[in-house]
Amino acid sequence: PYAREIEDLLDPNGDIKAQAVFDVDGVPTVCFLAKSARTTRQAVLDGIRERIWNQNLISIVLIVDKDDAQALPVSARTVEAVPLSRQCAGLLTPFSSADVQSGTVFNDRPEWFAAENRVDQVLLRSLKVMVDVLQKQGLTKTDAQLLMAQVMFVSYLEHRGIIGDQYRADHSVGQLNALVKCKDLPGITKLLRQLKQDFNGDLLEPSERLDQFWKGLAPAILDSLHGFLKRDDLESGQRSFWHYNFRFIPVELISGIYESFLSEDKKEVGAFYTPRHLAMLAVDLAFENSTDVLSERVYDGACGSGILLTTAFRRLIGHAQGQKGSALSFGERVDLLERSIFGSDLNLSACRVTAFSLYLSVLEGLAPADLATLAAKGKAKLPKLVGRNLRGGDVDGDFFADSNPRAKRPHCTIFLSNPPWVEPPKKIT
C-alpha cells in the first residue's frame, strides 16, 4: 500500500537515500540512513527529515555507522539525537525492534511524537484558519473550501515544477505566492485561466462567483493567504518547524485532510473523516478476491473528498505499472481513471474536491519536464470528471435515485464506501 513512499525513501538517486525501512503492521515507521559526510551536515539532514515528515509515515530516523548510531524523531526538530552503541544493543534495549513494535519507544518519548506536529495536523490547522478567514470575508464555507482547493492544486503544480520559470515566461504569468504577496488579483485570475486552458480540470478556472470573490478579497485576507503559501502555522502565527510541500505529501493524505472539514455540519449529515490507514484496509479487502484488478470499475456512492476512490485509483495505477513493467504515461493514467473510477455525493462541492484528489493522483510520479512538454503541445488536459464520472447534488448525487446510473449493475463491479452515519428521527411522520 505504501510502495510509492517506500520507493521514494530507498531511491539511491533521490534526496533521502535511505538504506532500509522498518515497518510496523505494514506502516513504514523507522528509516535507516548511513552515517556519511552527507548526513553529518545539519542542513542536509534537516532537509532529509523535512521530506520524510511530509510523507506523514516514518516516525524515527536512525543514522547508523559501523559501531554506533543516532536516533532522531522526524517531527520534533529541536530534540537532541540519542546516541546508541552497538555494544549495548540488545533484543529489548531502546530503539530495538521490540521497543518500536510494542510502542514502548512512543510512550517513553511523547515529546518526539506529538500529534500536533505531524504534517497533516499542521496543514489542517492552517486550512481551517483560512476557511474561517474567508468566511468572515463573506464567502460561504463551500466557496471558501473550493478557493483553498484551487490554491492547493496550483501549489502542487508549482512545488512539482510542472509550473516553472519557463512556463511563466512563455505565458507571461506570475508565481502564485508572489502574486498574492503583492496583491495582484488580476494576475491571479490570469494565472488560473491560463492553467485552465493548458490543464483543463474542474477546479482551475474560477466560477463566476469565485471569480468575483477573488477580485474582492481584502488586503488582510491576502496577507493571511500569503502566510499559508509561505507555509506558516496560521493558528499559532509562527513559522512551522518544517515546511509542508505538496510535492511530497501523499495524495490520500491531502484528500483525507480535506474530508475532515468538508461538511457544513458533520453531526447533522453524518459525514466523518476516513483515516488513511482505514482507506488502505478497505481497498485491500475490496480487491482481495479480484481475478483481474484492472477490469474492475469502482464506485463510491458517498465519496466525500474522495479518499477511498483516490486510494483505489493509486492501487490500480500500481497494478497497471506492474503489469506493463514501466511507468504509465499521462494519457494511460487518464484512460485508466475515466474507465475505472466513479462516485457520487449529495454535496456537489465534495465531488469537486474528489476530482482535485484524483487529478493529483494522475500527475503524481510523472516527470515535471514531460508534463511541461505535454502542456506546451496541448496534450496535458485533465479530464472533466464532475457531471461524468462524479455526480453531485441532491438529485444526481443521490445513490438511491433512479436517475443515478452509476449505482446500477452491471456498470460497476466494486462498491466501496464509508456512508454517512446518522440517527434516524425519533418521530416518524
Side-chain angles (χ1 to χ4, degrees):
Y2 300 105
R4 176 161 185 77
E5 288 81 5
I6 293 174
E7 288 171 357
D8 188 39
L9 290 164
L10 298 176
D11 183 357
N13 298 313
D15 293 332
I16 300 172
K17 298 182 176 66
Q19 301 297 303
V21 175
F22 181 79
D23 75 81
V24 177
D25 295 329
V27 179
T29 305
V30 182
C31 176
F32 292 82
L33 302 175
K35 187 174 181 179
S36 64
R38 174 172 169 266
T39 53
T40 52
R41 292 169 54 195
Q42 191 61 47
V44 174
L45 182 59
D46 283 351
I48 293 171
R49 291 167 66 197
E50 181 176 273
R51 179 161 180 171
I52 295 172
W53 176 77
N54 271 278
Q55 286 190 345
N56 211 50
L57 291 171
I58 297 290
S59 299
I60 300 167
V61 172
L62 287 179
I63 303 172
V64 183
D65 201 3
K66 181 179 179 181
D67 297 315
D68 56 41
Q70 288 182 308
L72 284 163
V74 170
S75 60
R77 180 176 182 175
T78 58
V79 171
E80 293 290 329
V82 173
L84 305 171
S85 168
R86 187 178 296 276
Q87 289 181 337
C88 298
L91 294 176
L92 300 176
T93 54
F95 299 99
S96 65
S97 59
D99 193 41
V100 174
Q101 288 176 314
S102 67
T104 303
V105 65
F106 302 100
N107 294 328
D108 289 347
R109 295 172 175 81
E111 72 280 4
W112 278 35
F113 311 108
E116 63 267 22
N117 292 332
R118 292 171 62 88
V119 65
D120 56 341
Q121 297 303 308
V122 173
L123 182 54
L124 178 58
R125 287 197 300 270
S126 292
L127 280 170
K128 285 181 175 178
V129 169
M130 280 308 308
V131 168
D132 183 59
V133 166
L134 290 168
Q135 284 184 273
K136 291 177 180 177
Q137 169 78 3
L139 276 72
T140 65
K141 187 173 185 178
T142 296
D143 285 337
Q145 290 169 345
L146 287 175
L147 188 146
M148 291 309 298
Q150 288 182 337
V151 169
M152 290 172 68
F153 190 46
V154 176
S155 296
Y156 177 85
L157 295 175
E158 291 183 338
H159 290 180
R160 283 284 317 279
I162 298 168
I163 306 172
D165 292 339
Q166 188 62 51
Y167 180 91
R168 287 188 280 269
D170 290 344
H171 299 288
S172 300
V173 295
Q175 191 262 348
L176 181 61
N177 193 20
L179 294 170
V180 170
K181 181 180 181 180
C182 64
K183 302 177 176 57
D184 184 355
L185 293 169
I188 294 171
T189 301
K190 181 181 179 182
L191 172 63
L192 291 173
R193 293 198 182 282
Q194 183 64 54
L195 294 175
K196 172 69 174 181
Q197 178 179 320
D198 292 334
F199 293 97
N200 198 19
D202 293 302
L203 279 174
L204 287 167
E205 184 179 20
S207 68
E208 184 177 345
R209 185 172 68 248
L210 276 178
D211 199 358
Q212 293 303 313
F213 279 129
W214 268 110
K215 292 178 179 178
L217 290 181
I221 305 296
L222 292 170
D223 287 338
S224 295
L225 186 56
H226 177 56
F228 175 84
L229 291 168
K230 285 195 304 177
R231 293 164 285 187
D232 292 348
D233 187 335
L234 296 184
E235 187 179 58
S236 67
Q238 298 179 2
R239 195 166 193 171
S240 176
F241 284 147
W242 301 124
H243 289 160
Y244 56 82
N245 191 320
F246 295 114
R247 179 183 175 188
F248 308 124
I249 297 176
V251 173
E252 298 102 324
L253 181 60
I254 297 174
S255 179
I257 289 169
Y258 240 81
E259 187 168 318
S260 69
F261 69 98
L262 187 67
S263 171
E264 291 283 347
D265 187 338
K266 289 181 167 45
K267 291 184 179 179
E268 181 179 335
V269 301
F272 293 95
Y273 167 55
T274 306
R276 187 183 179 198
H277 67 279
L278 291 184
M280 290 286 192
L281 175 61
V283 170
D284 285 343
L285 295 174
F287 286 110
E288 187 174 34
N289 296 316
S290 176
T291 56
D292 184 3
V293 169
L294 295 180
S295 69
E296 304 290 359
R297 297 164 70 89
V298 182
Y299 176 79
D300 184 349
C303 61
S305 69
I307 187 169
L308 289 173
L309 290 178
T310 300
T311 304
F313 181 50
R314 288 185 87 206
R315 196 66 56 86
L316 290 173
I317 290 175
H319 276 276
Q321 292 183 155
Q323 190 176 91
K324 182 182 177 183
S326 62
L328 295 187
S329 68
F330 175 84
E332 289 171 326
R333 290 170 180 237
V334 169
D335 290 342
L336 181 62
L337 172 61
E338 291 187 301
R339 74 170 185 264
S340 304
I341 300 295
F342 305 89
S344 60
D345 200 284
L346 293 174
N347 186 340
L348 179 59
S349 65
C351 292
R352 293 194 179 103
V353 176
T354 295
F356 162 65
S357 300
L358 291 169
Y359 291 155
L360 296 187
S361 299
V362 170
L363 299 173
E364 185 180 37
L366 296 174
D370 293 343
L371 284 169
T373 301
L374 289 173
K377 296 179 179 179
K379 296 181 179 180
K381 302 286 187 182
L382 291 164
K384 182 172 178 57
L385 296 176
V386 177
R388 297 179 182 175
N389 289 54
L390 305 172
R391 300 169 67 92
D394 293 337
V395 178
D396 288 347
D398 186 350
F399 177 85
F400 299 101
D402 293 335
S403 62
N404 186 349
R406 304 302 184 197
K408 310 298 186 292
R409 287 184 179 276
H411 184 272
C412 290
T413 59
I414 289 179
F415 288 72
L416 182 66
S417 190
N418 178 13
W421 295 91
V422 292
E423 292 289 337
K426 293 182 179 179
K427 291 183 180 181
I428 300 176
T429 58

